[in-house]
Amino acid sequence: DAGITQSPRHKVTETGTPVTLRCHQTENHRYMYWYRQDPGHGLRLIHYSYGVKDTDKGEVSDGYSVSRSKTEDFLLTLESATSSQTSVYFCAISVGRETYNEQFFGPGTRLTVL
Amino acid sequence: QKEVEQNSGPLSVPEGAIASLNCTYSDRGSQSFFWYRQYSGKSPELIMFIYSNGDKEDGRFTAQLNKASQYVSLLIRDSQPSDSATYLCAGGYSSASKIIFGSGTRLSIRP
């Protein structure tokens, strides 16, 4: 599992509440990613980070923000959760060979917004 | 718009046969390609990557890349029930180490 943990693993919340998901890695990789996975859509990139305090948007970034204050932690925040953000969220890291870009995934967080 | 296309399946293959999974991509800027296996309720697991035209073999798995046709495939020989999963194809771009995923093909190996 490339030393990646995600917390919480499951969360149920209500519309309009803020939610923060945490991704933690133990191997000092520079690149970290947040994806969401929904039936019929595969994995879609929300945000990614290429270093401490260096982040950028992915294809489905609306309604999400991220922060990376330490190399090992990448936080995803839903400022005001909506039912459309019910999904499985995966964190991933890239192991540094930029031309090949292999990514390895954490165990995922299942989020339900009621 | 960079896209990776896969047939969603399900693809049903008898045990012991060869399973063939296919993927096309739209952007010739893609430099590397990946196959991930995902069991239900689990995270994607990288099983193969390829970046040169031709074949790459690893055990029962062979990845094939044809850049002229913008086509990637994965062959699984001697299919086993444990190969039943969803297989995700992805294309990589050197900028920001990003990869674009297809929506996956569900493979079922029948005894």
Side-chain angles (χ1 to χ4, degrees), chain A residues 23-66:
Chain A
C23 177
H24 178 79
Q25 58 141 332
T26 59
E27 299 180 3
N28 231 29
H29 296 294
R30 180 182 173 196
Y31 287 92
M32 298 183 75
Y33 308 82
W34 277 107
Y35 292 89
R36 60 177 290 173
Q37 187 173 38
D38 305 289
H41 289 281
L43 286 156
R44 293 183 291 174
L45 182 64
I46 305 171
H47 282 279
Y48 66 98
S49 170
Y50 46 96
V52 173
K53 299 194 189 316
D54 292 323
T55 65
D56 206 348
K57 296 179 180 180
E59 62 178 308
V60 290
S61 59
D62 287 349
Y64 301 95
S65 62
V66 289

Side-chain angles (χ1 to χ4, degrees), chain A:
Chain A
D1 63 359
I4 306 168
T5 57
Q6 292 184 233
S7 59
R9 294 293 312 280
H10 301 271
K11 186 170 183 66
V12 180
T13 191
E14 294 189 349
T15 298
T17 60
V19 176
T20 295
L21 308 182
R22 179 181 182 240
C23 177
H24 178 79
Q25 58 141 332
T26 59
E27 299 180 3
N28 231 29
H29 296 294
R30 180 182 173 196
Y31 287 92
M32 298 183 75
Y33 308 82
W34 277 107
Y35 292 89
R36 60 177 290 173
Q37 187 173 38
D38 305 289
H41 289 281
L43 286 156
R44 293 183 291 174
L45 182 64
I46 305 171
H47 282 279
Y48 66 98
S49 170
Y50 46 96
V52 173
K53 299 194 189 316
D54 292 323
T55 65
D56 206 348
K57 296 179 180 180
E59 62 178 308
V60 290
S61 59
D62 287 349
Y64 301 95
S65 62
V66 289
S67 65
R68 192 169 178 199
S69 58
K70 299 185 291 184
T71 299
E72 59 266 35
D73 288 325
F74 192 30
L75 303 181
L76 176 71
T77 297
L78 292 66
E79 302 289 350
S80 178
T82 67
S83 58
S84 65
Q85 293 175 312
T86 292
S87 188
V88 180
Y89 291 85
F90 289 104
C91 175
I93 56 95
S94 182
V95 293
R97 288 183 291 177
E98 291 189 26
T99 303
Y100 305 152
N101 301 349
E102 303 104 292
Q103 292 185 13
F104 296 88
F105 287 82
T109 294
R110 184 172 295 276
L111 176 67
T112 302
V113 183
L114 301 175

Side-chain angles (χ1 to χ4, degrees), chain A residues 31 33 94 97-103, chain B residues 1-4 24-34 70 90-101:
Chain A
Y31 287 92
Y33 308 82
S94 182
R97 288 183 291 177
E98 291 189 26
T99 303
Y100 305 152
N101 301 349
E102 303 104 292
Q103 292 185 13
Chain B
Q1 178 86 5
K2 300 180 176 70
E3 290 186 342
V4 175
T24 59
Y25 61 96
S26 62
D27 190 341
R28 290 189 180 273
S30 299
Q31 298 177 320
S32 49
F33 300 88
F34 308 88
Q70 296 178 240
Y93 305 83
S94 61
S95 61
S97 290
K98 290 197 286 187
I99 60 179
I100 305 296
F101 285 86

